[in-house]
Amino acid sequence: PVWLAPSLGLALFLLVLVYTPLPDPVQAAALEWNFPKNLVVKDWPLSPDELAWLSTDGAVTAQRYRFTWQELEGSLLLVASQDWRAQHRPERCFTVYGLEVQASQPALAGAEFPLRLLALGAPGGETLYSAAYWLQSSSQITEDYAARIWDDLAPKPQPWVLITVIFDQPIDAQSPNAQALFNAIRETAHTSLTALNQP
């Protein structure tokens, strides 16, 4: 019948949408971060409660650091997983800690390097912090969660890292110094993710 081909096509499309490959937490857990020497990092372990909250929707490897980059200081959170459900929007975390997202805008930190810039503060109060985040795999960078979700439909989904940078005070996140920091972290993640995918 004439209706059979379109019906089969629609059914196949719906199956692709609901298909969820099983994540491989062991692969994501194998990630190691080798930061450049001019980015001074100090391990800042997550509490058991924080790790449990981050792992609610799937297996993750999460590491948190304090960093110093020239005159900039702040914290860096790296959440690796092969399941998009395990990588929450950072805005959710900020709300849990009592911070209000006062401004949010997409930006570019370089060619094909989109990220999201945020201004954070007390609800109804002054801006206290600047932040930025992006999602990165070995072949792609995005600040768009839809692109991250779409990648999970591949037969062999690759590990992704959600990278969140929070500065200790409001800064110009589009300044050359901040952009250089973002690119240094991006290169670190790219090296680690590429090494993970090599046989």
Side-chain angles (χ1 to χ4, degrees):
V2 176
W3 54 267
L4 183 59
S7 297
L8 288 175
L10 179 61
L12 181 60
F13 177 73
L14 291 173
L15 286 173
V16 167
L17 283 181
V18 298
Y19 168 70
T20 305
L22 293 175
D24 180 5
V26 174
Q27 188 177 15
L31 282 168
E32 295 182 5
W33 312 111
N34 296 307
F35 298 103
K37 292 181 180 178
N38 53 344
L39 175 56
V40 180
V41 296
K42 181 179 178 183
D43 195 33
W44 183 19
L46 292 155
S47 71
D49 287 345
E50 289 170 325
L51 282 170
W53 186 78
L54 285 169
S55 303
T56 298
D57 296 319
V60 299
T61 299
Q63 287 138 325
R64 183 174 60 181
Y65 303 92
R66 291 287 303 162
F67 74 82
T68 301
W69 173 268
Q70 299 178 32
E71 78 277 5
L72 298 176
E73 294 184 346
S75 58
L76 171 64
L77 179 64
L78 302 154
V79 179
S81 178
Q82 285 183 255
D83 186 348
W84 67 269
R85 294 173 190 83
Q87 291 170 321
H88 312 128
R89 288 183 179 274
E91 289 90 340
R92 272 180 64 186
C93 299
F94 299 141
T95 303
V96 167
Y97 285 100
L99 293 171
E100 178 182 73
V101 177
Q102 298 175 334
S104 174
Q105 66 180 44
L108 284 174
E112 299 182 16
F113 184 10
L115 46 72
R116 182 157 291 273
L117 303 178
L118 305 172
L120 308 172
E126 64 178 326
T127 301
L128 301 174
Y129 311 102
S130 293
Y133 71 84
W134 67 93
L135 293 139
Q136 183 170 347
S137 71
S138 60
S139 61
Q140 188 177 358
I141 299 176
T142 184
E143 51 84 32
D144 179 10
Y145 268 79
R148 166 68 183 96
I149 293 168
W150 186 253
D151 186 76
D152 266 12
L153 299 177
K156 290 186 178 180
Q158 55 188 329
W160 282 75
V161 181
L162 169 59
I163 300 171
T164 306
V165 182
I166 307 172
F167 298 95
D168 287 347
Q169 59 191 14
I171 67 156
D172 177 5
Q174 293 184 310
S175 69
N177 196 17
Q179 301 282 297
L181 169 64
F182 299 146
N183 278 281
I185 297 170
R186 177 183 89 155
E187 285 304 314
T188 297
H190 177 73
T191 300
S192 299
L193 288 162
T194 302
L196 188 67
N197 288 333
Q198 290 177 349

